[in-house]
Amino acid sequence: MSAELVCFNPGCPERFPIDAVLYECPRCGRLLEARYDFAPLKPAALTAMWDGRLLSREPLDVSGVWRFRDLLPFLGDTKHIVTLQEGNTPLLDAPGAAAYARLDHIQFKHQGYNPSASFKDNGMTAGIAQARALGMKRVACVSTGNTSASMAAYAAAGGLQAVIFLPYGKIAYGKLAQALEYGALTIQVEANFDQILALVRRLAEELGIYLLNSINPFRIEGQKTIAIEMLDQRGWQVPDWLVLPGGNLGNVSALGKGLRELKEVGVIDRLPKLAVVQAAGAAPFFHLFQSGTGGAIQNVENPETLATAIRIGAPVSWEKALREVQSSGGVVESVTEQEIADAKAIIGRSGIGCEPASAASLAGARKLCSRGVIAEDADVVGVLTGHLLKDPDYVYRYHTGRIETPGGDRLTSTLGNQPVVMPNDPGKIAEFLLTRA
Ligand SMILES: *Cc1c(COP(=O)(O)O)cnc(C)c1O
């Protein structure tokens, strides 16, 4: 099947071979996307083949990304693929969370069940495969944490050296711990994400290191399978809304592309509306959407949020994301630190749990429902992007009433669950338990 890299800007005719080492169009500077000729694919045969692979024990069939490889045929040879059994994440009903959002029903696609515990694994297996196909020896990324954890894991498994760049002091411990354990060369830079990305783009070019940030079009290819797997789990029943957090906006672009392509091949006949949720202190995409979508995005100079995975002021994929949100008839919302914290605790109380950025999905769904944008009886799927244990420090502070915004304002621990210290005295403990029955 033909595969090429195309400038996603509809007005630009540039096309490149699929093995070009490019992250943006040399002509107009926009991002590139992989494009294929899907005409030979027949929807019924395709979904039957995907079903058939569920019975297979072949590593590529067992992967929740590569099971759908027919829609990401960018590799000449699948021997380059490194799989850690990514994907295969559950779609969970959460009645408590639905009640909190005043929705009849919500399901969560929980990407925290991935091997490195975030959705970055879906993209990274594809990005690392392309790095190996290109004969690269070193890969690099700048990360608020999860990209580095994921890249470190896949690079280690695939025999590549991982170089990761992190904003000094602004990373959740679970994520840093992963990068160190997986053996990545880890450089903490005293600058914010956006500044470091500019730096690393220069270095990658000078030193011939393959860049695996979400500007890399192959990561987007892997991540689009999140939408495909979710719809497969729903028997191809398209929800009304798909709600997800937005930072660099690569994931919105990826899910939008996956849905668009499923429609193109005829597996689904309509698109869900995409609702992107940003943290109020790092919400350039929300402001763009509010001010009418004709202009360019105004970057946020000093993005601030405790949801470090979405602490991004200059989202690189904003144009792609805008196109996907608009063509789906979707919206962009922003939520406060308090709204994120409480939504997160509600997801925890559902027995599910997630990291702070993920909870923006529920906080956003609640807000959109209260504003009447999402109908109470709508069929809603939220994406939980990362695992609860990614950021244990946040969790502990919230539950012990010690959580503050980056600006120093104390948040209310609405659903705080403080551990209780008791003497070694069965009588006292029994008495206490009676008061809590
Ligand atoms: C990366 C990440 C996001 C943001 O995704 P973008 O593609 O940058 O918009 C949200 N949540 C978690 C947990 C992440 O790791």
Side-chain angles (χ1 to χ4, degrees):
M1 192 180 306
S2 79
E4 56 187 356
L5 286 171
V6 175
C7 178
F8 100 96
N9 171 9
C12 176
E14 289 293 330
R15 281 156 195 276
F16 307 91
I18 198 73
D19 58 357
V21 182
L22 283 174
Y23 312 102
E24 58 193 13
C25 175
R27 181 187 177 115
C28 71
R30 306 312 227 301
L31 296 181
L32 301 169
E33 69 174 26
R35 212 167 285 167
Y36 317 98
D37 173 17
F38 285 137
L41 299 180
K42 298 284 166 281
L46 200 55
T47 54
M49 182 157 57
W50 294 340
D51 283 347
R53 287 178 187 156
L54 289 171
L55 296 172
S56 162
R57 291 196 170 85
E58 284 300 311
L60 294 194
D61 295 341
V62 172
S63 161
V65 170
W66 299 106
R67 182 159 74 91
F68 306 106
R69 57 190 174 272
D70 317 273
L71 290 191
L72 43 155
F74 62 84
L75 291 167
D77 190 332
T78 55
K79 73 175 184 208
H80 303 297
I81 294 173
V82 179
T83 174
L84 295 170
Q85 288 198 22
E86 52 289 325
N88 296 308
T89 60
L91 186 64
L92 304 167
D93 278 316
Y100 176 73
R102 294 182 211 89
L103 287 164
D104 294 347
H105 185 70
I106 193 167
Q107 290 181 306
F108 289 122
K109 178 69 175 154
H110 203 328
Q111 294 303 110
Y113 283 60
N114 264 298
S116 86
S118 83
F119 76 78
K120 301 301 197 294
D121 293 340
N122 293 67
M124 204 53 76
T125 184
I128 288 282
Q130 182 68 2
R132 282 162 47 96
L134 294 169
M136 297 286 174
K137 299 284 176 266
R138 273 181 151 184
V139 289
C141 69
V142 195
S143 172
T144 56
N146 283 330
T147 300
S148 57
S150 180
M151 193 188 80
Y154 281 86
L160 303 177
Q161 188 188 30
V163 187
I164 65 184
F165 294 84
L166 304 170
Y168 181 62
K170 298 280 186 180
I171 173 170
Y173 266 111
K175 306 177 187 183
L176 180 57
Q178 286 179 293
L180 300 177
E181 186 84 354
Y182 298 135
L185 186 58
T186 304
I187 303 173
Q188 296 190 291
V189 185
E190 291 171 321
N192 71 26
F193 179 93
D194 306 309
Q195 296 163 325
I196 305 173
L197 181 59
L199 175 106
V200 172
R201 285 178 77 154
R202 257 190 58 189
L203 285 173
E205 194 161 337
E206 278 176 32
L207 303 176
I209 304 174
Y210 195 56
L211 201 55
L212 281 173
N213 272 90
S214 57
I215 53 172
N216 184 302
F218 300 99
R219 274 193 48 205
I220 301 297
E221 290 307 289
Q223 276 169 225
K224 77 186 182 189
T225 64
I226 299 167
I228 303 174
E229 187 180 76
M230 178 272 290
L231 282 164
D232 185 9
Q233 287 165 313
R234 292 172 50 97
W236 309 108
Q237 294 299 306
V238 179
D240 300 317
W241 287 91
L242 184 59
V243 188
L244 73 164
N248 238 328
L249 304 172
N251 209 29
V252 187
S253 312
L255 270 54
K257 184 173 194 272
L259 293 162
R260 200 160 28 92
E261 291 177 346
L262 280 179
K263 186 159 172 271
E264 185 189 329
V265 299
V267 172
I268 56 175
D269 58 10
R270 67 184 180 90
L271 300 175
K273 292 187 168 74
L274 295 174
V276 180
V277 189
Q278 296 207 292
F285 194 51
F286 169 70
H287 294 303
L288 173 74
F289 206 80
Q290 288 298 98
S291 64
T293 46
I297 199 160
Q298 300 293 310
N299 294 337
V300 171
E301 203 64 43
N302 291 305
E304 283 299 357
T305 169
L306 296 176
T308 49
I310 50 173
R311 187 171 172 271
I312 306 249
V316 293
S317 295
W318 72 270
E319 284 184 291
K320 280 187 174 178
L322 184 62
R323 186 180 64 184
E324 304 298 353
V325 171
Q326 284 182 320
S327 60
S328 80
V331 295
V332 184
E333 187 51 274
S334 95
V335 290
T336 64
E337 295 296 303
Q338 185 71 51
E339 288 169 321
I340 291 174
D342 290 338
K344 184 173 128 53
I346 292 282
I347 295 166
R349 288 280 177 103
S350 307
I352 294 173
C354 64
E355 69 164 277
S358 313
S361 294
L362 179 61
R366 182 175 193 252
K367 207 162 200 170
L368 290 166
C369 185
S370 76
R371 295 208 285 109
V373 177
I374 297 184
E376 191 171 296
D377 62 353
D379 184 359
V380 182
V381 174
V383 181
L384 299 181
T385 44
H387 196 278
L388 167 67
L389 293 176
K390 286 283 191 176
D391 195 349
D393 190 52
Y394 181 111
V395 182
Y396 185 73
R397 284 176 198 272
Y398 179 86
H399 286 292
T400 54
R402 275 176 261 183
I403 190 161
E404 286 181 3
T405 66
D409 296 327
R410 181 61 65 96
L411 292 181
T412 307
S413 296
T414 320
L415 289 145
N417 184 22
Q418 178 106 353
V420 181
V421 181
M422 301 276 319
N424 183 9
D425 179 336
K428 288 229 165 80
I429 297 176
E431 201 177 301
F432 169 74
L433 288 176
L434 284 172
T435 68
R436 294 296 183 94

